[in-house]
Structures are given as structure tokens and as C-alpha cells.
């Protein structure tokens, strides 16, 4: 599937996006994720609420694009739902259908029928991973879930975080599920601390922790994921940023960050992001100029402009730390790694 996706992507972006939907639900089916996670994935891919109902036993559920439950019944409009074997799935979209609505509904219905079929083992507890990654969950409950998931209470693990449309060139065999977060539904996987490198794009790898702190590993994995820049940087490991990534994981999205407003003005220049990036990596202006591929005097002029805008020397002592911290916050607030590529050709039925 992934090889086919790569070939078709160059020929027809619309077909490529449809295959990404199929690959996404393939991953969810293999992971045997729960009903809410399936609906959350469909809602996230479609950009609108998704729901399902079944006849025996009677059950219904509606979920937003962020994975939140929507109370109350809903009657899907014609053309926005599919039904088979007593299971109905629908998308709650206002207006005309989008290009990939049909394929999302088809795969959602298939996944729901498999999920609620008689072949599922009652002993499968992988869907409880969300509790293990919940910051508010009591430690005793986390221990219970960890035992059910065959995770050692004395072992150390990492949480991997990836969007539902991530491309996996090799998929680890591990505990996994789709977990609702403030950034939408995230594919979460738990692997041992010493696990082999992950070949996926994009993917964030959290700090190693015991089972009591896997919620923190998950939060750092999400930060790492948001710092990914495919195809240049498809995978980011939280360890790269040390203790700083823990501070970023605990920082509210809209917290006031000193120097960030000034840095926004720097980034408005065409050369801003690339120049700040090389200044943080390099030990001197000359080295930064070599990394940026510009003349030393050109980079020095840019440094002078940056210094004037932010009000401190970005290469002197704490100034470098201040610039680096503000730069990471800027990257997080401007990250687009979780944005699903828009379908080519607009809505179905268009030109």
C-alpha cells in the first residue's frame, strides 16, 4: 500500500489522498481501536462530525473532529450515510459532499462492522491505552491497565505519536490506539525504551519513562511530532531537546512567551526562519553563514537586524538560549504537520 501510495501521489494527488484514507483505516483495524477512536478518525479526516448506530444491541455514538462525544440523536441526510449488516455510519456535513467523503464512509463502515463483529476477542484491552496516557487518571488505575496491556511496572517505555495519515514504512508490533488530544486524534504507540529506530513520516518519539509517567512521554511525543518538518525531518526524538521539551510540553498553547512577539517580526522577513535556524545551530557568524550559504557580511547584516528587533544579542550568553526557546515556541505555534493535505479538485460534483 505504501509503495503504491508513493507512485500514485506523483500522478494524481486526489487518488493519493484517497489511498491515505484507506491506509489510515487499515492501521486502525490492525490496532483494533475502539468505536470512539474510529469515529474520531473519520471526523478528523472529513473535517466534520461522524456517527454510527447499530440495531443489535441498540447503540449510537456521535463524535467531533477533536474526538469529543456529541450528545443527542441524529438523523443523517440521504447521501451522507452508509448502512450494511445492521450498522449505519454517517458524516454530519453541511452542504455538498467533499471529494473523499464516500471513501471515508466506506472504510469507516468496514472498520465498525469488524469492530462489532463476533471475531473480536473479549480479552483485547488495547483500547484502554487512552487511560494509561491520561494525566488525570489515578496511578492505581494506570497500573491495572498496564498489567492488562502486558507492560512491566518496572520497565521503561516511549510513546510514539503520529497523525492518522502518517506513512509507515515499517510498523512496530506494540500496544497502540487512537487517542483524542487538543490537536485532534493522534495515533499513539508504546514501545520499549531501546526500540529500533522508527521509519515513519511524520512521527514524534517521547521521552523514556516508567508506566506511571507515560502521560508525560505522550505529551513530549506530541511536541516532538509538532516539530517535525517532512520530508527533511520526518521523525523527531524528544531526547534531542533534553529538559527543554518537557517545559514545552507543559506550556499552554496560548501562554505569554517573552521574546516571541519580537521574533514574529523577524520571521516576517523572507530570510528570517532560515537565518534564525542556522544561528542556533552554529557557534559563530562565519559558521552560520556557511550553513546558510550566504556571504559573511550578508549574515552579519541580518544578525544586526535581528538584534535591533528583539532587543538583545542572539549570539551572546543567555541571548542564544532566549532565541532558541522563542524559536521552538514559534515553530510549535506555526506547525502544520497535523494538517491533512487538502484534496485536489475541491468538492465532489465540481469542475
Amino acid at each position: 500500500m505504501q509503495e503504491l501510495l508513493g507512485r500514485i501521489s506523483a500522478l494524481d494527488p486526489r487518488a493519493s489522498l484517497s489511498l491515505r484514507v484507506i491506509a489510515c483505516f487499515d492501521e486502525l483495524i490492525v490496532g483494533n481501536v475502539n468505536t470512539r477512536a474510529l469515529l474520531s478518525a473519520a471526523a478528523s479526516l472529513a473535517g466534520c462530525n461522524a456517527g454510527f448506530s447499530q440495531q443489535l444491541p441498540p447503540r449510537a455514538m456521535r463524535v467531533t473532529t477533536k474526538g469529543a462525544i456529541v450528545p443527542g440523536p441524529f438523523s443523517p441526510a440521504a447521501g451522507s450515510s452508509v448502512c450494511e449488516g445492521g450498522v449505519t455510519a454517517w458524516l454530519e456535513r453541511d452542504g455538498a459532499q467533499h471529494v473523499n467523503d464516500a471513501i471515508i464512509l466506506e472504510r469507516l463502515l468496514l472498520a465498525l462492522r469488524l469492530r462489532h463483529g463476533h471475531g473480536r476477542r473479549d480479552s483485547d484491552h488495547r483500547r484502554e491505552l487512552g487511560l494509561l496516557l491520561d494525566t488525570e487518571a489515578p496511578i492505581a488505575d494506570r497500573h491495572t491497565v498496564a498489567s492488562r496491556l502486558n507492560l512491566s511496572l518496572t520497565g521503561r517505555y516511549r510513546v510514539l505519536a503520529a497523525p492518522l495519515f502518517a506513512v509507515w514504512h515499517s510498523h512496530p508490533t506494540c500496544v497502540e490506539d487512537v487517542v483524542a488530544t487538543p490537536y485532534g486524534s493522534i495515533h499513539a504507540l508504546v514501545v520499549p525504551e531501546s526500540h529500533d529506530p522508527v521509519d515513519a513520516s511524520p512521527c514524534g518519539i517521547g521521552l523514556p519513562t516508567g508506566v506511571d509517567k507515560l502521560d508525560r512521554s505522550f505529551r513530549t511525543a506530541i511536541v516532538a511530532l509538532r516539530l517535525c518538518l517532512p520530508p527533511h525531518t520526518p521523525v523527531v526524538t524528544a531526547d534531542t531537546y533534553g529538559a527543554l521539551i518537557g517545559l514545552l510540553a507543559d506550556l499552554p498553547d496560548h501562554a505569554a512567551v517573552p521574546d516571541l512577539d519580537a521574533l514574529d517580526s523577524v520571521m516576517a522577513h523572507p530570510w528570517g526562519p532560515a537565518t534564525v535556524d542556522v544561528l542556533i545551530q552554529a557557534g559563530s557568524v562565519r559558521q552560520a553563514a556557511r550553513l546558510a550559504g550566504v556571504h559573511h557580511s550578508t549574515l552579519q547584516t541580518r544578525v544586526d537586524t535581528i538584534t535591533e528587533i528583539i532587543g538583545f544579542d542572539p549570539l551572546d550568553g543567555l541571548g542564544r538560549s532566549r532565541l532558541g526557546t522563542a524559536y521552538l515556541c514559534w515553530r510549535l505555534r506555526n506547525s502544520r504537520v497535523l494538517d491533512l493535505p487538502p484534496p485536489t479538485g475541491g468538492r465532489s460534483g465540481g469542475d
Side-chain angles (χ1 to χ4, degrees):
M1 172 63 76
Q2 301 296 355
E3 181 181 357
L4 179 62
L5 177 61
R7 292 179 179 179
I8 292 182
S9 179
L11 299 175
D12 187 346
R14 181 185 299 183
S16 170
L17 191 58
S18 297
L19 284 179
R20 287 185 182 276
V21 172
I22 296 173
C24 168
F25 277 100
D26 284 349
E27 293 286 350
L28 298 176
I29 291 171
V30 169
N32 194 27
V33 302
N34 61 23
T35 300
R36 180 174 178 177
L38 291 173
L39 292 174
S40 179
S44 178
L45 290 167
C48 64
N49 292 354
F52 106 106
S53 64
Q54 66 179 18
Q55 297 175 356
L56 295 173
R59 187 186 178 193
M61 182 183 296
R62 301 166 60 209
V63 173
T64 70
T65 57
K66 297 296 185 181
I69 297 294
V70 181
F74 182 82
S75 298
S80 63
S81 64
V82 289
C83 181
E84 188 173 347
V87 177
T88 301
W90 66 82
L91 297 176
E92 301 178 10
R93 185 184 301 289
D94 294 328
Q97 287 187 307
H98 286 198
V99 173
N100 287 299
D101 282 3
I103 191 68
I104 291 172
L105 281 173
E106 174 190 302
R107 304 308 291 184
L108 173 61
L109 181 64
L110 172 63
L112 287 169
R113 292 189 65 202
L114 290 173
R115 176 69 191 177
H116 294 275
H118 298 292
R120 182 175 59 86
R121 296 176 298 165
D122 292 335
S123 60
D124 193 338
H125 298 286
R126 282 175 287 182
R127 60 188 181 276
E128 296 179 319
L129 179 59
L131 178 63
L132 192 60
L133 303 181
D134 186 353
T135 303
E136 305 297 327
I139 295 298
D141 291 349
R142 298 188 202 182
H143 285 180
T144 299
V145 170
S147 296
R148 289 176 180 171
L149 298 175
N150 295 319
L151 299 176
S152 170
L153 298 183
T154 59
R156 289 175 63 81
Y157 301 90
R158 297 179 184 271
V159 179
L160 313 183
L164 302 181
F165 54 82
V167 177
W168 293 85
H169 300 289
S170 61
H171 192 98
T173 301
C174 61
V175 176
E176 58 185 316
D177 204 341
V178 175
V179 180
T181 77
Y183 311 101
S185 299
I186 295 293
H187 188 182
L189 308 89
V190 179
V191 300
E193 177 182 5
S194 58
H195 191 273
D196 292 337
V198 176
D199 190 2
S201 177
C203 181
I205 303 175
L207 295 172
T209 68
V211 294
D212 292 355
K213 298 294 184 181
L214 278 180
D215 61 309
R216 185 165 184 78
S217 181
F218 184 43
R219 296 201 308 277
T220 59
I222 292 177
V223 173
L225 170 62
R226 294 169 63 202
L227 291 174
C228 290
L229 291 170
H232 180 261
T233 311
V235 178
V236 171
T237 302
D239 304 53
T240 303
Y241 299 96
L244 184 57
I245 202 164
L247 297 176
L248 294 173
D250 293 335
L251 184 70
D253 282 341
H254 300 291
V257 179
D259 307 322
L260 185 53
D261 290 340
L263 188 63
D264 279 333
S265 299
V266 174
M267 296 309 199
H269 291 275
W271 46 261
T275 301
V276 172
D277 186 66
V278 296
L279 286 177
I280 292 171
Q281 295 182 50
S284 66
V285 172
R286 289 191 178 277
Q287 184 182 4
R290 288 194 295 270
L291 292 174
V294 299
H295 193 271
H296 167 261
S297 61
T298 299
L299 194 71
Q300 183 61 60
T301 300
R302 295 178 182 178
V303 171
D304 293 340
T305 301
I306 292 173
T307 302
E308 181 180 355
I309 293 175
I310 62 180
F312 60 86
D313 186 346
L315 298 178
D316 180 38
L318 288 176
R320 186 183 297 274
S321 299
R322 290 173 63 181
L323 179 66
T325 302
Y327 177 54
L328 289 176
C329 291
W330 181 87
R331 285 178 57 188
L332 289 176
R333 291 192 178 180
N334 291 275
S335 175
R336 295 293 177 267
V337 73
L338 294 175
D339 292 351
L340 184 69
T344 302
R347 299 174 184 269
S348 61
D351 294 336

